[in-house]
Amino acid sequence: MTKPRIWFNGELVAHEDATIHILSHVVHYGSSVFEGIRCYATDRGPAVFRLREHMRRHVDSAKIHRMDTGYSLDQLCDAVVGTIADSGMESCYIRPVTFRGTGRMGVNPLHNTVETAVAVWDWGQYLGDEAITQGVDVQVSSWQRNAPNTTPGLAKAGGNYLSSSLIKMEAIHNGFVEGIALTREGYLSEGSGENLFVVRDGVLFTPPAAFSILPGITRDSVITIARERGYEVREQALPREALYIADELFFTGTAAEVTPIRSVDHYTIGEGRRGPITAELQEAYFAAVRDADNARGWLTFVRDAAPATDAVAAESDVVAG
Ligand code: PMP
């Protein structure tokens, strides 16, 4: 089966043709920003979950790093929808990326190109096949999150993921599926690619935006769903040991969706399996991402929204050119 085409600087190109030069700034200095979005199969065909919020975060990430994609938010959303429509896939993971390309060598990126691509692929359960039902075993990482006023946490930047990769590799070497990082002050922050929720006595707790987290769109969706269902959700500072005495713990993220955590540092959490509140929120989340009625307006239906492929390319050429 041929791999889906990739939208690259305004055109859909064959998978193998979406390449960059070795002297691109991004290869040496990590100067990219990216998104991770999911498209779900629904009764109304493929639907992208919270597309505009993701692409807005993308534009924000680019702005923080002084990159102008040259495309409007609408055009970036169209690029995503157009790429999915072109792929013919019913569900997929979507990876928009904007990066500094060629120009001059050296740290200063201001003379280098800014390029944007959108790729789609099939991605199953990010933390393993049984993670969603059985839960995962994790550790507190020896690596801390980036401190405030270092590499900015609100930007979903490629370079930030050197930290995430260290957290993830350490966890895997130690036999865990994922690591939870603390802030510089030792408070709970998040996983290498997921936000974190603690449940105790029926109340949900999660670290606030200022605690070196990426403010996740799944986190926001789960907070909304939990409050709708009458749960109290508190965004507050949480000490490490709040993990060990939690009734339930779970991760949220586009790739991880809602994944229960059954142990941390070999402490059993609750009953050592997915807890009832996690199960309830998981079910509600999975219903929301496939809600053909689109009750919350969170879905963009690809077949309703798909622009003619040529039109996207032509329009973008004008802007980029
Ligand atoms: N934190 C980090 C470090 C992440 O990489 C992600 C995944 N994008 C998240 C949190 C969750 O964000 P979202 O729910 O928007 O995918």
Side-chain angles (χ1 to χ4, degrees):
M1 203 183 111
T2 54
K3 294 202 166 136
R5 291 201 290 175
I6 293 177
W7 188 95
F8 195 16
N9 293 328
E11 276 174 58
L12 283 162
V13 302
H15 189 88
E16 56 276 16
D17 293 335
T19 55
I20 61 166
H21 197 277
I22 197 71
L23 294 184
S24 297
H25 192 275
V26 63
V27 175
H28 304 260
Y29 306 111
S31 48
S32 67
V33 296
F34 67 99
E35 269 306 314
I37 316 174
R38 273 195 196 259
C39 171
Y40 290 92
T42 75
D43 292 345
R44 284 169 63 186
V48 188
F49 186 62
R50 304 198 70 177
L51 173 61
R52 221 176 161 77
E53 291 89 333
H54 277 284
M55 294 320 285
R56 183 166 178 220
R57 186 170 69 185
H58 190 66
V59 171
D60 290 345
S61 298
K63 184 172 184 189
I64 291 170
H65 286 283
R66 299 184 190 275
M67 289 192 263
D68 180 358
T69 66
Y71 300 101
S72 67
L73 182 54
D74 282 337
Q75 286 174 318
L76 291 169
C77 291
D78 284 351
V80 169
V81 170
T83 311
I84 301 166
D86 183 71
S87 77
M89 295 171 89
E90 287 298 312
S91 65
C92 58
Y93 179 84
I94 306 149
R95 169 56 54 81
V97 59
T98 295
F99 61 91
R100 289 281 184 180
T102 49
R104 295 188 197 161
M105 282 311 289
V107 170
N108 177 8
L110 294 173
H111 301 291
N112 291 55
T113 55
V114 174
E115 308 194 30
T116 299
V118 180
V120 297
W121 62 82
D122 193 25
W123 218 0
Q125 302 304 335
Y126 177 67
L127 294 174
D129 285 345
E130 298 198 326
I132 293 283
T133 50
Q134 303 300 311
V136 290
D137 300 307
V138 308
Q139 68 163 161
V140 172
S141 184
S142 70
W143 296 101
Q144 291 167 344
R145 292 286 299 166
N146 296 335
N149 212 30
T150 60
T151 45
L154 293 193
K156 191 168 167 59
N160 293 4
Y161 284 79
L162 286 174
S163 159
S164 288
S165 299
L166 288 169
I167 294 165
K168 187 82 176 178
M169 288 188 290
E170 180 190 55
I172 289 168
H173 277 297
N174 289 340
F176 297 99
V177 167
E178 184 57 287
I180 293 172
L182 307 179
T183 65
R184 219 175 97 128
E185 294 74 29
Y187 295 105
L188 297 180
S189 179
E190 62 176 354
S192 72
E194 311 85 10
N195 293 118
L196 175 70
F197 283 81
V198 174
V199 183
R200 181 148 162 123
D201 292 338
V203 178
L204 278 81
F205 300 87
T206 193
F211 282 58
S212 298
I213 65 165
L214 182 79
I217 289 158
T218 319
R219 173 184 181 276
D220 178 75
S221 309
V222 166
I223 290 174
T224 302
I225 289 169
R227 288 190 175 139
E228 276 172 15
R229 302 176 85 84
Y231 288 105
E232 186 183 346
V233 185
R234 292 192 209 151
E235 297 182 59
Q236 65 167 66
L238 295 160
R240 172 178 181 160
E241 60 274 22
L243 294 172
Y244 307 139
I245 58 171
D247 297 330
E248 301 179 34
L249 292 176
F250 61 88
F251 282 133
T252 61
T254 296
E257 299 172 307
V258 178
T259 299
I261 299 170
R262 65 181 178 195
S263 79
V264 185
D265 295 338
H266 301 294
Y267 285 88
T268 301
I269 305 308
E271 304 291 317
R273 67 178 100 94
R274 174 173 62 182
I277 294 178
T278 308
E280 181 188 339
L281 296 175
Q282 229 183 17
E283 198 186 320
Y285 178 76
F286 285 134
V289 299
R290 293 186 182 80
D291 175 21
D293 295 335
N294 206 7
R296 299 183 188 83
W298 282 348
L299 298 185
T300 301
F301 295 96
V302 170
R303 291 191 188 126
D304 299 348
T309 308
D310 291 348
V312 182
E315 221 186 310
S316 325
D317 282 348
V318 173
V319 176

